[in-house]
Amino acid sequence: MRLLLVVLYVLILPGLADAAPKADLWPDWQAHDPKSTQVIDHGAWQDILDRYVTVLSPGETVFDYEAARREAHAQVAGYVDAMSMLAVSNLNRDQQFAYWVNLYNALTVKVVLDHYPVESIRDIDISPGLFSSGPWGKKLITVEGRALSLDDIEHRILRPIWKDPRIHYAVNCASIGCPALAPEAYEADKLEGQLDQAARGFINHPRAVAQAEDGAFVLSSLYDWYRDDFGKSDADFIDHLAQFAGPRLSATLSDVDAFEVDEYHYDWALNDVRR
């Protein structure tokens, strides 16, 4: 029996690790106050980003986990704790969006710091369940009396409430293949510009969209896992890419007769400055 379980684990785990949760709204989190003028201060998180994020190129950043673990572990934890004490349901929608994205990214950094050094965030195997991988299913924070995981924030709150594909470019999974950890905290009065910038940075980088010699595309696995979020048809998906494409990618997309994907790829190595 034990041998059978080991065989099943080896065969099934890789597929489950790359499976994407569906957007599944938790109705309680729809509560908000459209008249609220409360502004959340994300200055502590911005200070962390200023000190430990390095921009390598547009849409590509790395984080200095070793230095942050020595110098700012408590500051990251303090920011997360401060966010957990807020009544997020009393905020307006833009404040809520910035709150959840910043909290997601800070929690991701915190969980890496808690277990550093690691080669990949997927090595932080703290999620419940026999076939679970990584930290995403672990309840990491309590907000308004409800325990939440990273998966809960992304797939039960952000994706189903806002239904904006740019969410995928804003939340960071601490990996080379992931859209960049933005060097600026998300702010309610800057969201549209910040989200567009995140989309442009990722889409125009080869880890997101590249073309093989035969003309077929090599895409980030992000576009495989969450394809419906970016457009159900090939035409819709190309329109999404074209909306944020720079001149080179725009020319490539305009020449496409039949959209063919050669392969999907994703680099799960930690987005560590020491790489």
Side-chain angles (χ1 to χ4, degrees):
M1 182 64 178
R2 182 176 298 174
L3 177 60
L4 177 60
L5 287 175
V6 171
V7 171
L8 287 173
Y9 183 86
V10 171
L11 291 176
I12 295 174
L13 180 59
L16 289 179
D18 290 336
K22 300 293 185 182
D24 181 20
L25 176 64
W26 283 357
D28 285 355
W29 293 109
Q30 291 191 91
H32 66 289
D33 182 358
K35 297 180 180 179
S36 173
T37 58
Q38 182 179 355
V39 176
I40 303 304
D41 182 4
H42 298 288
W45 178 233
Q46 183 62 63
D47 182 59
I48 295 294
L49 297 173
D50 288 341
R51 291 160 63 191
Y52 302 108
V53 171
T54 297
V55 178
L56 301 180
S57 66
E60 184 182 16
T61 64
V62 287
F63 192 89
D64 193 341
Y65 292 100
E66 183 174 323
R69 184 187 60 167
R70 291 195 316 266
E71 304 165 356
H73 199 163
Q75 184 178 345
V76 175
Y79 170 75
V80 169
D81 287 344
M83 293 299 102
S84 74
M85 291 185 282
L86 295 176
V88 66
S89 59
N90 292 338
L91 303 175
N92 64 44
R93 276 291 189 232
D94 286 346
Q95 288 290 333
Q96 285 184 339
F97 187 94
Y99 169 91
W100 288 120
V101 171
N102 289 329
L103 179 58
Y104 184 100
N105 291 339
L107 270 176
T108 299
V109 167
K110 180 181 181 298
V111 80
V112 174
L113 295 180
D114 289 345
H115 296 85
Y116 192 82
V118 291
E119 295 295 320
S120 169
I121 192 172
R122 295 209 296 186
D123 296 336
I124 304 173
D125 246 343
I126 58 175
S127 295
L130 178 61
F131 299 115
S132 296
S133 174
W136 296 284
K138 172 77 172 179
K139 303 297 185 182
L140 298 174
I141 192 170
T142 299
V143 179
E144 293 193 293
R146 284 162 284 190
L148 296 172
S149 67
L150 290 167
D151 272 349
D152 295 335
I153 294 172
E154 182 177 5
H155 308 301
R156 282 63 151 173
I157 299 173
L158 280 167
R159 288 176 62 211
I161 291 177
W162 280 274
K163 297 181 173 66
D164 189 328
R166 296 174 299 174
I167 289 166
H168 295 289
Y169 306 125
V171 294
N172 179 265
C173 67
S175 303
I176 296 295
C178 185
L181 175 59
E184 291 187 353
Y186 284 86
E187 299 287 353
D189 59 348
K190 301 178 181 178
L191 285 180
E192 285 302 309
Q194 289 180 314
L195 290 170
D196 283 351
Q197 182 176 351
R200 283 193 299 269
F202 185 68
I203 286 172
N204 290 287
H205 193 278
R207 75 187 188 284
V209 182
Q211 198 169 24
E213 291 183 2
D214 62 1
F217 285 87
V218 179
L219 301 178
S220 166
S221 297
L222 192 73
Y223 297 125
D224 183 27
W225 301 329
Y226 302 106
R227 177 55 188 269
D228 285 354
D229 287 8
F230 301 103
K232 296 184 182 298
S233 69
D234 286 349
D236 290 341
F237 178 57
I238 292 173
D239 285 346
H240 170 77
L241 297 179
Q243 182 180 355
F244 303 102
R248 180 176 298 181
L249 181 57
S250 293
T252 300
L253 294 174
S254 66
D255 289 339
V256 171
D257 294 324
F259 188 79
E260 297 181 7
V261 178
D262 186 56
E263 65 175 307
Y264 294 96
H265 68 96
Y266 205 84
D267 187 348
W268 279 107
L270 193 68
N271 61 338
D272 194 335
V273 71
R274 280 161 181 76
R275 286 181 53 87

